[in-house]
């Protein structure tokens, strides 16, 4: 007795109306290409599958790396019912119904695998609905996500699953899959008798960023442009050419999610390349973000941050140039504004580096947090009223411009932080001159302190010590 409609076996139907990527989906581990670190002989996931380990799993990886395929292979090998959820469409009501059905099915000896695509899109309440059923063993949960599970999946659910990280497929692996699709007469394009050189398939692979599904889609479009039944009779042939692939691709598919982890990975790579004075790497990561559709003003804001965090006063012009780049992006828009950002990141990359200001302000933040907020010293306060003057506001203040060296020996920090030094300029760029200037200020302050000392009193005639 089955409470569910079984998932159709893809090996039994070669419905040409289904997308090529779905028709060519591997049915066994031996057909599966890629992820050798997980499903190679003796590797952890393969061992878990072969032992029929009922534990729940999370597959984390970019699109087109085989997350759904692996879940279906597991269901097929373990003879379990396979229920597929979409986190975009399913709600609490649907989840509870399926969980109740799975609990009843278990009583009849039927195991249920619940596969959740894009599990990171489930909210906390939806994820919590699976917890008791995972713990009781009513279901084997397999989730697929392109986002970091540490951030997107509840800790309670995450602790009850094993996370496997899937990597983008290598270009030679994509080429192997495409060649299979061209030759497979049952599920693929073999009946069309199409030809394609390895160089053409390599181009498809290189333009799809390790995503097998995207590569299949490009090949299917290219086949449609090549097949005489669909193509222009005057240009039709059975050869998938480089020109046909360019038409099928239109634009390179770049792996990028402006709200996901890859967004932060790429901006991190850009920032660290700038910090390491590598203009070529900085330009590359900038291009990766811009060509994938990142908001240029977001990049401009981060570039401004780099100018003050990693260059600072070693080259104060860096901040001005980055602000000008931001204004240029805002004024002329894209794609023209990309050169303004390119100019900024190259300038920052080759500029002298100093994080002295960044470190100094970090120390200030710690002191503000950890020390008592003492009152401003009286001599630093303005005294606009007679009452305030009577209370000592402004008493003892020394106006620096009235002094020859323009430096007074006057305490400007509160008493509990007297003598604290935050800013330690480096010897890089302009900060070398700033350091020399600070040393001169220190000497001037010492001289001012010595001059402010009262002269020794003259001994009195009746003073025994003076005789």
């Amino acid at each position: 007795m089955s409470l569910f409609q079984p998932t159709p076996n893809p090996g039994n139907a070669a419905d040409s109306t289904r997308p090529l990527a779905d028709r060519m989906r591997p049915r066994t581990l031996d057909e599966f290409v890629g992820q050798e670190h997980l499903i190679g002989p003796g590797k952890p996931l393969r061992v878990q599958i072969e032992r029929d380990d009922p534990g729940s799993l999370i597959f984390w990886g970019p699109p087109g790396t085989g997350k759904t395929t692996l879940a279906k292979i597991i269901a097929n090998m373990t003879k379990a019912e396979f229920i597929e959820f979409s986190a975009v469409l399913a709600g609490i009501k649907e989840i509870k119904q399926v969980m109740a059905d799975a609990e009843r099915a278990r009583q009849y000896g039927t195991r249920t695998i619940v596969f959740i695509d894009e599990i990171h899109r489930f909210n906390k309440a939806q994820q919590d609905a699976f917890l008791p059923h995972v713990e009781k063993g009513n279901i084997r949960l397999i989730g697929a996500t392109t986002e970091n599970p540490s951030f997107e999946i509840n800790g309670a659910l995450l602790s009850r699953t094993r996370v496997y990280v899937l990597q983008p497929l290598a270009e030679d692996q994509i080429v192997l899959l495409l060649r299979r699709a061209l030759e497979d007469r049952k599920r693929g394009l073999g009946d069309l008798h199409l030809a394609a050189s390895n160089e053409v398939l390599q181009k498809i692979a290189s333009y799809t960023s390790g995503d097998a599904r995207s590569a299949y889609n490009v090949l299917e479009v290219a086949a449609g442009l090549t097949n005489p039944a669909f193509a222009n009779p005057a240009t039709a042939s059975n050869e998938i050419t480089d020109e046909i692939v360019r038409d099928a691709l239109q634009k390179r598919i770049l792996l990028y999610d402006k709200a996901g982890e890859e967004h932060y990975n790429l901006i991190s790579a850009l920032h660290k390349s700038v910090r390491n004075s590598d203009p070529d790497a900085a330009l590359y990561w900038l291009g990766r973000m811009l060509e994938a559709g990142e908001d240029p003003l977001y990049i401009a804001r981060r570039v401004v941050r780099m100018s003050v965090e990693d260059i600072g006063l070693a080259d104060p012009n860096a901040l001005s140039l980055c602000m000008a780049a931001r204004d240029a992006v805002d004024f002329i828009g894209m794609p023209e504004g990309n050169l303004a950002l390119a100019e900024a990141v190259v300038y920052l990359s080759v500029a002298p580096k100093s994080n002295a200001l960044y470190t100094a302000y970090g120390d200030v933040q710690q002191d503000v947090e950890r020390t008592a907020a003492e009152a401003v010293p009286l001599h630093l306060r303005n005294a606009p009223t007679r009452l305030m003057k009577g209370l000592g506001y402004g008493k003892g203040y020394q106006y620096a411009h009235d002094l020859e060296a323009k430096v007074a020996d006057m305490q400007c920090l509160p008493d509990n932080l007297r003598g604290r030094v935050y800013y330690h300029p480096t010897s890089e760029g302009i900060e070398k001159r700033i350091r020399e200037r600070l040393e001169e200020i220190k000497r001037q302050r010492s001289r001012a302190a010595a001059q402010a000392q009262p002269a020794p009193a003259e001994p009195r005639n009746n003073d025994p010590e003076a005789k």
Side-chain angles (χ1 to χ4, degrees), residues 292-310:
E294 178 57 81
D295 178 5
L297 285 176
Y298 166 77
I299 299 177
R301 289 192 295 272
R302 291 300 299 259
V303 167
V304 170
R305 167 72 185 206
M306 296 173 204
S307 72
V308 292
E309 180 176 333
D310 295 292

Side-chain angles (χ1 to χ4, degrees), residues 22-176:
D22 191 43
R23 301 201 309 269
M24 292 301 300
R25 191 185 297 279
R27 297 160 295 185
T28 66
L29 288 179
D30 292 333
E31 286 185 10
F32 195 89
V33 174
Q35 316 308 331
E36 287 85 358
H37 64 295
L38 298 179
I39 63 168
K43 296 301 181 180
L45 181 56
R46 190 181 194 103
V47 170
Q48 186 176 355
I49 294 172
E50 290 174 345
R51 290 179 179 174
D52 200 10
D53 185 337
S56 294
L57 309 170
I58 297 292
F59 292 141
W60 171 29
T65 52
K67 299 185 292 295
T68 302
T69 297
L70 278 175
K72 291 186 175 182
I73 290 174
I74 292 171
N76 187 49
M77 290 181 66
T78 57
K79 309 300 181 185
E81 297 287 358
F82 187 80
I83 308 300
E84 189 169 355
F85 267 115
S86 170
V88 177
L89 303 175
I92 289 288
K93 182 179 178 180
E94 291 82 3
I95 294 172
K96 288 183 176 179
Q97 180 61 48
V98 169
M99 295 304 99
D101 291 345
E103 187 171 5
R104 287 195 295 272
R106 188 185 177 202
Q107 297 173 3
Y108 292 95
T110 301
R111 291 188 297 176
T112 304
I113 289 178
V114 174
F115 175 69
I116 307 171
D117 194 18
E118 298 185 281
I119 191 173
H120 59 275
R121 294 183 181 271
F122 271 148
N123 60 36
K124 184 179 185 301
Q126 290 169 317
Q127 292 183 28
D128 285 344
F130 292 103
L131 275 176
H133 301 281
V134 170
E135 288 181 335
K136 293 176 184 177
N138 293 335
I139 64 167
R140 183 180 188 183
L141 176 68
I142 301 180
T145 178
T146 57
E147 302 296 330
N148 190 328
S150 301
F151 305 135
E152 303 295 341
I153 298 177
N154 290 352
L157 187 59
L158 196 60
S159 68
R160 292 162 174 80
T161 60
R162 300 181 197 178
V163 177
Y164 289 111
V165 181
L166 280 67
Q167 303 295 338
L169 273 64
E171 290 185 9
D172 59 337
Q173 294 170 334
I174 297 280
V175 170
L176 172 61

Side-chain angles (χ1 to χ4, degrees), residues 301-355:
R301 289 192 295 272
R302 291 300 299 259
V303 167
V304 170
R305 167 72 185 206
M306 296 173 204
S307 72
V308 292
E309 180 176 333
D310 295 292
I311 287 83
L313 291 173
D315 184 354
N317 288 328
L319 177 58
S320 300
L321 185 139
C322 290
M323 292 299 293
R326 185 214 62 171
D327 290 343
V329 169
D330 193 33
F331 179 64
I332 64 176
M334 300 300 285
E336 292 84 357
N338 56 14
L339 289 180
L341 291 174
E343 180 179 341
V345 300
V346 169
Y347 187 95
L348 296 182
S349 297
V350 301
K353 303 296 187 296
S354 171
N355 71 340

Side-chain angles (χ1 to χ4, degrees), residues 186-428:
K186 184 176 182 182
R187 296 187 290 156
L189 304 171
D191 286 340
L192 299 179
H193 305 290
L194 298 173
S197 67
N198 281 337
E199 290 75 15
V200 165
L201 298 184
Q202 192 79 29
K203 181 171 185 178
I204 295 175
S206 68
Y207 269 66
T208 49
S209 303
D211 184 337
R213 186 185 299 107
S214 293
Y216 280 131
N217 292 342
V218 172
L219 181 65
E220 192 166 24
V221 172
L225 296 173
T226 307
N227 184 4
F230 303 103
N232 184 338
T235 59
S237 74
N238 70 338
E239 176 76 18
I240 298 178
T241 64
D242 189 74
E243 182 179 358
I244 289 174
V245 168
R246 281 200 302 271
D247 289 341
L249 282 167
Q250 294 296 315
K251 185 172 177 63
R252 184 176 189 131
I253 301 167
L254 292 175
L255 174 62
Y256 194 65
D257 180 354
K258 289 193 284 186
E261 186 192 8
E262 195 66 8
H263 163 84
Y264 298 104
N265 289 341
L266 289 176
I267 195 64
S268 175
L270 172 59
H271 194 156
K272 289 170 182 172
S273 299
V274 165
R275 182 180 293 150
N276 200 44
S277 301
D278 190 333
D280 299 304
L283 277 173
Y284 172 76
W285 296 118
L286 173 69
R288 276 278 297 272
M289 297 184 78
L290 289 174
E291 296 305 314
E294 178 57 81
D295 178 5
L297 285 176
Y298 166 77
I299 299 177
R301 289 192 295 272
R302 291 300 299 259
V303 167
V304 170
R305 167 72 185 206
M306 296 173 204
S307 72
V308 292
E309 180 176 333
D310 295 292
I311 287 83
L313 291 173
D315 184 354
N317 288 328
L319 177 58
S320 300
L321 185 139
C322 290
M323 292 299 293
R326 185 214 62 171
D327 290 343
V329 169
D330 193 33
F331 179 64
I332 64 176
M334 300 300 285
E336 292 84 357
N338 56 14
L339 289 180
L341 291 174
E343 180 179 341
V345 300
V346 169
Y347 187 95
L348 296 182
S349 297
V350 301
K353 303 296 187 296
S354 171
N355 71 340
L357 193 65
Y358 175 77
T359 303
Y361 192 74
D363 291 342
V364 168
Q365 287 178 306
Q366 290 187 12
D367 280 351
V368 169
E369 178 69 24
R370 297 175 184 175
T371 63
E374 287 201 357
V376 175
L378 287 174
H379 62 274
L380 294 182
R381 303 186 193 187
N382 284 332
T385 68
R386 183 178 301 176
L387 173 62
M388 296 168 80
K389 287 181 180 179
L391 293 173
Y393 282 36
K395 185 177 182 181
Y397 172 67
Q398 301 176 60
Y399 188 55
H401 292 286
D402 289 341
L403 305 177
E404 182 179 354
K406 311 300 182 187
V407 177
D409 178 37
M410 182 173 62
Q411 178 184 335
C412 294
L413 282 168
D415 287 339
N416 63 338
L417 293 172
R418 184 187 182 103
R420 184 80 159 91
V421 177
Y422 295 107
Y423 180 50
H424 300 275
T426 69
S427 58
E428 298 295 323

